[in-house]
Amino acid sequence: MKKLARFVGFAAWSLLMASSADAHYGMLIPSDSMIMQADDRTVNLKLSFSHPFERIGMELEKPKVFSVRANGKRVDLANMLRKIQVMAHTAWEADYKVSRPGVYMFHMEPMPYWEPAEDCFIVHYTKTVVTAFGDDEGWDAEIGLKTEILPLSKPFGLYAGNVFQGIVKLDGKPVPYAEVEVEYYNKDGKSKSPTDYMITQTIKADQNGVFTYAAPCSGWWGFAALNTADYKLKHEGQEKDVELGAVIWIRFHDWK
Ligand SMILES: [Cu+2]
């Protein structure tokens, strides 16, 4: 009997873990992160809320904010969004025409997502950086999001195996020992992790909020720094915690 109780406990725990051990990410993936003279000048951006390694989609309501910061200006792009499907769930896309050299910081703020498995709301402030026509001035600038990863390595043009470093910020201040989850976008589904522990890797920032990660292979990697908001939101009349994620998507490249 005791054994059975323990088994039932384990089964319930397994079910819970199955839905939460693997991390979900706000995703913002551009068709190109370094636009050269000869390239197509229209960048396609896909916005979703997904489990990138396992390729399990979640619903992404139309984001509250989708904009780009470039050449000293922030431009609202929300009206460009078209509804699509990513990993069989509601997602969004936009085609953005890059006409001038510069560093383009695309970002979205989703609507709060209620996650019953974690008994909290999730808001992932998600960004990615695209550079165009040889200009890379200002790649380290802050957009000024509620929570944000500030890159210490240029957030484009990294080789597979390079380290990526960033500072985790919340309300404009570094977050000492912030937890950062790292996951590979397994776009073609060909990558397999040796164990479930390795779908999402977790690292911590140092006392200055700086974290370091070396990507083992080329492709898109998501970094999500997670903190609990200093406010609550109501779900069915009850106050619930809000998980704030600062997410950045970085592409690592192979040698030719
Ligand atoms: Cu999920």
Side-chain angles (χ1 to χ4, degrees), residues 24 51 58 115:
H24 25 236
H51 296 240
M58 296 165 77
E115 175 55 276

Side-chain angles (χ1 to χ4, degrees), residues 187-249:
K187 205 173 173 183
D188 56 13
K190 284 185 182 150
S191 300
K192 304 270 178 271
S193 67
T195 75
D196 285 353
Y197 284 106
M198 297 175 76
I199 293 171
T200 308
Q201 291 183 292
T202 306
I203 52 180
K204 286 188 85 168
D206 66 11
Q207 69 277 14
N208 301 312
V210 174
F211 69 88
T212 305
Y213 183 82
C217 70
S218 61
W220 285 100
W221 288 81
F223 298 85
L226 306 174
N227 285 288
T228 304
D230 56 5
Y231 61 87
K232 306 225 180 219
L233 289 175
K234 281 214 162 114
H235 176 72
E236 290 170 356
Q238 282 194 309
E239 302 250 291
K240 298 290 184 183
D241 281 343
V242 182
E243 174 195 291
L244 296 180
V247 183
I248 187 167
W249 282 92

Side-chain angles (χ1 to χ4, degrees), residues 19 22-25 49-51 56-58 113 115 118 122:
S19 54
D22 42 315
H24 25 236
Y25 285 74
F49 188 42
S50 312
H51 296 240
I56 298 169
M58 296 165 77
Y113 180 91
E115 175 55 276
E118 294 177 33
I122 301 171

